[in-house]
Amino acid sequence: MDEPGPVEASQCVAVVREAGFCFVHAETMRPALERFATLSDWAMFAASWDALGPDPYLERTGRARRRRHGVFRWAEGTLTREPHQPHFQSLAYNRLQGDVDRWFDPIVPEVGDSASLRAVLGFSCEFFGALAPEVSAWRIEVHQFRIEARSDAAGEPTPEGVHRDGVDYVLVLMVDRANIASGTTTIHSADGTLLGSFTLHDPLDAALVDDARVFHGVTPVTPVDAAKPAHRDVLVVTLKRE
């Protein structure tokens, strides 16, 4: 399946409403984000992925990734950070690690308070709010993920396979990719039919997903040069109505 061409920002809500997902190129995402806050601290924001801790729950399955996690709440136009708490998914949505309270290292304050993250969260609340105008409050979970690939083991961005997250909406934002091949985001119907695919390549490339309607996954990543470090850094934001 050919990767989609650029979608204008003004079209994205309609595309998600019709198809259940939309892929957005960085040149469209940047001005959309900058409507909410400056991205002047993006270099600090992106560098924070170098300080992610290991995912201890995934290590038990013989797999590896690094992550941090934070919870926010949006209500009546106000965004607040909630106390640190576990991430939970039922087995219905995560057959690999479901029905477990998973505690991850918290997103550090300078990242949680950064203009770049505020821009992403402001955009997410407005964009997905346009798809669900009846919602007055959102529970927002923010995940920093680093998937590392080695010459002897491909990195698995979605080790649970093609899945839903058990929320209302999902934003996946590319932060950095270094020395990797593949890592293609795929969207599927409930019967497994491939509906679309797109490789998040440049910083700020994004996937916008209606999680209640479609499934998503990401193909494994492998090093281009086996002698050098290889990683895929993404920010995942989920919104669930209260």
Side-chain angles (χ1 to χ4, degrees):
M1 179 175 290
D2 293 335
E3 294 205 346
V7 176
E8 296 298 324
S10 60
Q11 301 173 321
C12 290
V13 169
V15 171
V16 176
R17 183 178 289 122
E18 178 179 351
F21 69 97
C22 184
F23 298 121
V24 187
H25 289 268
E27 60 265 28
T28 298
M29 279 300 296
R30 178 175 289 277
L33 296 174
E34 288 177 331
R35 290 182 49 242
F36 298 91
T38 176
L39 298 179
S40 59
D41 60 6
W42 178 263
M44 177 279 296
F45 182 72
S48 70
W49 266 253
D50 293 333
L52 301 188
D55 180 337
Y57 304 92
L58 197 61
E59 284 183 336
R60 297 170 191 169
T61 70
R63 298 170 170 89
R65 69 179 165 199
R66 297 181 176 276
R67 68 189 295 175
R68 287 183 182 268
H69 172 247
V71 179
F72 294 76
R73 181 175 188 265
W74 179 91
E76 299 179 356
T78 299
L79 183 70
T80 56
R81 184 166 183 178
E82 298 288 277
H84 191 50
Q85 54 196 271
H87 175 54
F88 179 86
Q89 291 174 297
S90 73
L91 278 171
Y93 295 105
N94 189 329
R95 61 178 184 246
L96 189 65
Q97 300 173 304
D99 288 353
V100 176
D101 278 340
R102 287 182 287 162
W103 288 92
F104 301 110
D105 291 344
I107 292 174
V108 298
E110 56 267 34
V111 172
D113 295 334
S114 67
S116 291
L117 183 59
R118 296 287 163 164
V120 173
L121 297 186
F123 167 83
S124 299
C125 290
E126 182 182 89
F127 182 87
F128 294 122
L131 292 164
E134 74 282 2
V135 177
S136 59
W138 294 108
R139 172 185 168 84
I140 305 168
E141 293 196 55
V142 179
H143 307 263
Q144 292 179 280
F145 285 110
R146 167 167 286 184
I147 305 301
E148 296 172 325
R150 306 189 308 270
S151 58
D152 61 341
E156 297 178 282
T158 52
E160 63 271 50
V162 174
H163 66 285
R164 290 167 53 211
D165 287 338
V167 297
D168 290 295
Y169 300 105
V170 180
L171 164 69
V172 183
L173 188 74
M174 174 55 62
V175 174
D176 182 53
R177 53 184 288 148
N179 188 38
I180 60 167
S182 194
T184 297
T185 299
T186 61
I187 304 295
H188 305 258
S189 62
D191 65 4
T193 300
L194 179 65
L195 302 176
S197 64
F198 180 63
T199 303
L200 304 179
H201 188 273
D202 297 320
L204 302 181
D205 280 354
L208 305 167
V209 179
D210 183 337
D211 190 64
R213 294 175 55 196
V214 298
F215 290 67
H216 63 278
V218 183
T219 61
V221 295
T222 56
V224 174
D225 184 339
K228 296 179 180 179
H231 67 255
R232 179 182 187 266
D233 293 350
V234 298
L235 180 75
V236 175
V237 177
T238 67
L239 277 69
K240 187 172 184 177
R241 67 190 69 203
E242 290 192 348

